[in-house]
């Protein structure tokens, strides 16, 4: 049996992302297998962790994200999520940054 709210390890050092995630839990409605709607805060909580991780610079955002989440996982040894944003210019892809 799953205990609610389920805890998710969220790796970030950005206090704005922490505030945003906490606020979204209050606002977002989710629908369970029974079809009943509830607030996300009733079914999920975040454990915010400050974990040093690898920051790979690459034109492929997927490679950058994989490197970061794999690095975080290697330190935590538990499933975790990261948030990653990047600005990639197609014309600069040849330079590989």
């Amino acid at each position: 049996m799953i205990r609610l709210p389920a805890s998710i390890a969220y790796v970030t050092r950005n206090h704005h992302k922490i505030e945003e995630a906490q606020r979204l839990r209050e606002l977002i409605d989710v629908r369970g297998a029974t079809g009943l709607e509830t607030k996300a805060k009733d079914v999920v909580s975040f454990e915010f962790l400050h974990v040093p991780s690898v920051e790979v610079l690459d034109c492929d955002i997927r490679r950058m994200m994989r490197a970061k989440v794999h690095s975080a996982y290697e330190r935590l040894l538990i499933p975790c999520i990261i948030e990653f944003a990047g600005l990639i210019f197609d014309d600069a892809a040849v330079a590989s940054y």
Side-chain angles (χ1 to χ4, degrees):
M1 173 165 256
I2 298 173
R3 292 189 336 205
L4 297 178
S7 181
I8 297 174
Y10 189 148
V11 177
T12 184
R13 290 179 286 181
N14 185 325
H15 71 274
H16 297 293
K17 296 297 179 192
I18 293 170
E19 291 172 7
E20 178 184 48
Q22 290 171 328
R23 184 71 181 125
L24 287 173
R25 284 182 58 239
E26 300 283 332
L27 296 174
I28 294 175
D29 292 323
V30 295
R31 181 172 293 136
T34 62
L36 298 175
E37 283 195 10
T38 187
K39 293 292 182 195
K41 69 177 182 166
D42 297 328
V43 294
V44 67
S45 67
F46 292 114
E47 180 181 1
F48 297 101
L49 302 168
H50 301 260
V51 177
S53 57
V54 171
E55 296 280 342
V56 171
L57 295 179
D58 196 301
C59 293
D60 185 341
I61 198 163
R62 289 180 200 96
R63 273 195 290 242
M64 291 188 286
M65 290 174 59
R66 280 189 195 107
K68 188 173 181 92
V69 77
H70 286 176
S71 174
Y73 178 80
E74 286 175 354
R75 292 179 184 271
L76 296 171
L77 298 177
I78 58 173
C80 58
I81 63 171
I82 62 163
E83 187 163 346
F84 195 91
L87 183 59
I88 311 272
F89 296 99
D90 288 339
D91 291 345
V94 175
S96 294
Y97 296 98

